[in-house]
């Protein structure tokens, strides 16, 4: 929305409200960022006693922060308007606060998720993990850190904890702090402690007169505690969000913070931005038909802006995945031929495991695509070569190295590179990335004239990041010990640890179909969106269960476990987010060879905008005609909805124990063959095999080896 575009009454109301606490309920595509930035500009223009230093704005990402800074400067026609104003993430705010107002945490390094996992795996005896009777398997490392996060959330009640739990928490903090580290959760925890007890931090708190929190529905309870402390110190608070778009509950996001805001804060003015400027009427209607089946939500009615457009909103059934994916590729090509850039087309999946299969079909059909999936890196040719090169340091073998690299270097280059690796292996305090970079330099691997230079550069940067992350935690070990450890890590854990990392930088000018998970698509928009795999067990998914933090901690943690468990309403929110990424065309697809159609397709079918064969809604591949459910022409009645929900919850409970066993068996197999590979490198091949096995094969192999 440019300055020349007429604001709605609701948008103008939100911009002009600068004296009371403000809650902006912003439906998808409602122009919330423009409203926030104009409101901040209005504060600076209207309040002569307010300077940029008196305003703090929390965004969900640094990218969003950069966009907000540019918009505020543009609204005020002054590039210097944001100087001194904090606009960024909550974690960034806490990091700056600790560095500026404390001696203890000045210069501490923040461990991201991967490094936290590596840290706990190394110091499991010292950091409290062993005290909770958790062996240092990768899955248990995740479980232990989940326990720590929940203890941080509940710290205000720590006097009621057992002595064992108190000791574990203190051990974890001490093990991190003594080495100059802090993690994301403790970053906020310690910032809160400083704001409560540090006089300098308290004085800083008094300077904050306005606080703006974007994507408020995604804040967790610890972040909300920080927000309330700032508010209690006298800051005017404006929160912006949509409880229907809370999709990070597994990370602690709590939609109830948004829902209950007017009850928890005083003198709250509420504005609802219900006009969607992004999506077509059909997309908006389908989104509304689905989300209105949720009970725990703020009442609102999203409406589309402007006249009804010519769009394509269809649902298609297929007999198998091959036909479904082929149709998606064909339709994407057709859209492109009709003038839609490939980069304006998105394929959004609920489960990342389908990305490679869809990518393969797109590639086969000559359709350019871009994906954040890390699978292409770990399955790529060069990753395997880098692993083999590191292995040479543990078992110096010139013939193996030659077999790996002879196509990329002449004999002279190869000889120099081999001597370099041999000298590294004989001693020296090299970092792992130094070894790989040095080897690549010796064989001129990053020669810009190489046909696949960009791929080579991306893959070198990728392996260097992984090696540097590992060295951050293990840098005091001898090179030989680090080589042994990193080879096990690369063979058993790296692909899982970095599955959400994008090794390939985004090129904004690249014209390619965007292929990603729904979670990754949050905040994005596309002309046309495909949502495949819309069957009963694929979307909504069931929680797979297994041992959780409340099983370890018990007590009040078990009593409150429902707060962090995703349910059917959370899955519906995710579908709502997926649908509202589409500006014009929306394509729902499903293959019904083994499962009936998703309940979300049934709910979507109550929209008159959706073209669908209504027989699809009652087709069940495992039932006789007498088992067919009646066709629903509108959203569920309360009894139908409860029955469907109960069935879904019961199915989830029945699957939990089975999948918990499968996950445990798989982790045991990785540890078993990963350890064996140190003595017999040929066993590394088994690690790749395990990734391709189905659940029954995993259970059978684990049982055969006495691991379960």
């Amino acid at each position: 929305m440019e300055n020349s575009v007429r604001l709605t009454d609701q948008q103008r109301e939100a911009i002009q409200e600068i004296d009371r606490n403000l809650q902006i309920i912003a439906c998808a595509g409602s122009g919330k960022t423009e409203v926030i930035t104009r409101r901040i500009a209005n504060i600076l223009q209207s309040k002569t006693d307010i300077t940029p230093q008196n305003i703090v704005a929390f965004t969900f990402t640094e990218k969003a922060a950069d966009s907000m800074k540019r918009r505020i400067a543009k609204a005020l026609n002054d590039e210097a308007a944001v100087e001194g104003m904090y606009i960024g993430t909550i974690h960034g705010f806490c990091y700056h606060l600790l560095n500026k107002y404390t001696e203890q945490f000045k210069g501490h390094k923040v461990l991201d998720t991967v490094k936290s996992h590596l840290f706990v795996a190394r110091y499991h005896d010292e950091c409290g993990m062993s005290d909770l009777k958790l062996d240092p398997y990768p899955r248990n490392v995740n479980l232990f850190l989940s326990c720590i996060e929940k203890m941080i959330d509940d710290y205000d009640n720590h006097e009621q904890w057992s002595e064992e739990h108190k000791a574990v928490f203190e051990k974890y903090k001490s093990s991190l702090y003594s080495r100059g580290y802090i993690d994301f959760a403790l970053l906020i925890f310690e910032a809160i402690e400083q704001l409560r007890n540090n006089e300098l931090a308290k004085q800083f708190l008094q300077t904050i007169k306005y606080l703006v929190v974007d994507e408020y529905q995604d804040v967790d309870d610890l972040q909300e505690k920080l927000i309330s402390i700032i508010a209690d110190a006298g800051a005017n608070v404006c929160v912006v969000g949509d409880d229907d778009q809370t999709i990070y509950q597994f990370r602690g996001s709590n939609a109830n913070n948004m829902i209950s805001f007017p009850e928890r804060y005083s003198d709250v003015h509420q504005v609802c931005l219900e006009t969607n400027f992004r999506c077509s009427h059909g997309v908006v209607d389908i989104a509304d038909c689905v989300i209105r089946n949720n009970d725990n939500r703020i009442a609102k009615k999203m409406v589309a802006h402007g006249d009804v457009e010519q769009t394509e909103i269809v649902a298609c059934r297929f007999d198998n995945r091959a036909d479904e994916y082929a149709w998606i590729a064909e339709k994407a090509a057709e859209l492109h031929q009709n003038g839609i850039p490939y980069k304006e087309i998105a394929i959004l999946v609920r489960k990342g495991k389908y990305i490679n299969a869809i990518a393969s079909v797109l590639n086969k059909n000559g359709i350019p695509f871009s994906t954040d999936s890390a699978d292409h890196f770990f399955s790529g040719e060069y990753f395997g070569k880098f692993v083999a090169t590191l292995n040479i340091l543990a078992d110096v073998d010139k013939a193996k190295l030659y077999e790996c690299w002879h196509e990329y270097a002449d004999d002279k280059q190869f000889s120099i590179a081999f001597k370099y690796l041999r000298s590294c292996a004989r001693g020296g305090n090299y970092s792992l990335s130094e070894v790989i970079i040095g080897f690549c330099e010796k064989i001129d691997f990053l020669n810009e004239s190489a046909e696949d230079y960009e791929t080579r550069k991306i893959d070198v940067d990728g392996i260097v990041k992984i090696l540097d992350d590992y060295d951050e935690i293990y840098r005091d070990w001898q090179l030989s010990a680090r080589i042994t450890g990193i080879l096990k890590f690369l063979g058993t854990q790296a692909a899982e640890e970095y599955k959400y990392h994008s090794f390939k930088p985004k090129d904004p000018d690249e014209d390619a179909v965007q292929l990603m998970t729904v979670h990754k698509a949050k905040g994005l928009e596309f002309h046309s969106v495909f949502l495949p795999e819309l069957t009963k067990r694929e979307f909504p998914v069931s929680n797979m269960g297994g041992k959780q933090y409340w099983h370890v901690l018990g007590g009040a943690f078990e009593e409150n476990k429902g707060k962090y468990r995703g349910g059917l309403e959370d899955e519906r929110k995710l579908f709502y987010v997926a649908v509202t990424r589409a500006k014009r065309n929306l394509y729902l697809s499903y293959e019904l060879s083994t499962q009936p159609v998703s309940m979300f397709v049934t709910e979507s079918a109550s929209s008159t905008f959706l073209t669908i064969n209504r027989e699809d809604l009652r087709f069940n591949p495992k039932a006789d005609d007498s088992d067919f459910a009646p066709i629903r022409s509108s959203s569920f009645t309360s009894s139908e909805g409860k029955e469907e929900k109960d069935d879904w919850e019961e199915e989830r409970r029945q699957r939990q124990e089975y999948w918990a066993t499968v996950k445990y068996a798989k982790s045991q197999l990785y540890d078993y063959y990963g350890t064996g590979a140190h003595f017999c490198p040929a066993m590394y091949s088994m690690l790749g095999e395990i990734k391709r096995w189905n659940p029954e094969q995993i259970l059978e192999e684990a049982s055969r080896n006495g691991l379960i």
Side-chain angles (χ1 to χ4, degrees), residues 166-425:
K166 292 177 185 177
V168 166
F169 185 63
E170 290 304 319
K171 278 187 174 183
Y172 179 70
K173 287 199 302 176
S174 177
S175 63
L176 277 175
Y177 297 167
S178 64
R179 294 176 175 84
Y181 295 131
I182 190 169
D183 67 18
F184 283 129
L186 284 171
L187 200 62
I188 302 176
F189 172 81
E190 294 294 356
I192 290 172
E193 291 297 296
Q194 296 300 320
L195 290 173
R196 285 172 172 171
N197 305 305
N198 181 321
E199 288 304 319
L200 289 176
K202 287 181 180 179
Q203 290 173 24
F204 162 70
L205 192 59
Q206 296 298 321
T207 67
I208 304 174
K209 303 303 180 184
Y210 282 89
L211 173 65
V212 177
V213 186
D214 193 14
E215 303 290 357
Y216 183 64
Q217 77 280 347
D218 290 324
V219 305
D220 59 33
D221 289 346
L222 189 65
Q223 293 166 341
E224 169 58 24
K225 198 174 293 182
L226 174 68
I227 293 165
S228 67
I229 288 175
I230 297 174
D232 290 343
N236 171 285
V237 179
C238 168
V239 298
V240 189
D242 180 6
D243 57 300
D244 289 334
Q245 298 187 66
T246 308
I247 63 172
Y248 298 109
Q249 190 183 37
F250 60 95
R251 296 180 185 169
S253 298
N254 187 350
N256 285 324
N257 287 327
M258 186 73 186
I259 295 170
S260 65
F261 183 81
E263 286 76 52
R264 294 181 295 106
Y265 287 78
S266 62
D267 196 19
V268 173
H269 183 65
Q270 192 177 72
V271 177
C272 197
L273 306 181
E274 296 177 306
T275 302
N276 184 313
F277 295 92
R278 175 201 303 154
C279 306
S280 64
H281 284 254
V283 169
V284 167
D285 193 55
I286 285 176
D288 182 68
C289 285
V290 173
I291 201 63
R292 69 190 183 200
N293 290 284
N294 274 1
D295 295 323
N296 186 33
R297 63 187 293 256
I298 297 172
K300 52 190 166 302
K301 171 70 175 177
M302 182 169 62
V303 295
H305 177 70
D307 299 326
V308 176
E309 318 87 335
Q310 182 65 39
T311 58
E312 200 169 19
I313 315 286
V314 300
C316 295
R317 168 185 163 187
F318 300 90
D319 294 329
N320 53 67
R321 283 198 177 102
D323 289 348
E324 182 180 6
Y325 296 169
W327 175 79
I328 291 173
E330 180 182 337
K331 194 69 184 175
E334 178 187 319
L335 289 168
H336 184 65
Q337 289 169 4
N338 291 334
I340 308 303
Y342 277 128
K343 64 183 178 182
E344 279 293 319
I345 301 171
I347 304 170
L348 309 181
V349 295
R350 175 63 182 89
K351 298 178 180 178
K353 68 179 183 179
Y354 294 118
I355 287 178
N356 282 348
I358 297 173
S360 177
V361 175
L362 294 176
N363 189 54
K364 182 180 177 182
N365 285 271
I367 297 174
F369 65 91
S370 175
T371 174
D372 282 342
S373 171
D375 288 346
H376 72 279
F377 172 78
F378 289 105
S379 61
E381 175 186 6
Y382 295 129
F383 173 75
K385 291 184 181 298
F386 294 142
V387 173
T389 303
L390 290 168
N391 204 31
I392 297 298
L393 293 170
D395 180 19
V396 180
D397 189 322
K398 190 173 184 178
K400 287 183 179 178
L401 188 68
Y402 182 79
E403 181 183 346
C404 188
W405 291 105
H406 72 277
E407 295 179 12
Y408 300 88
D410 59 34
D411 289 346
K412 182 179 179 181
Q413 289 173 325
F414 175 79
S415 180
I416 293 172
F418 175 70
K419 289 178 182 178
Y420 168 75
L421 286 182
R422 190 169 58 186
S423 69
C424 291

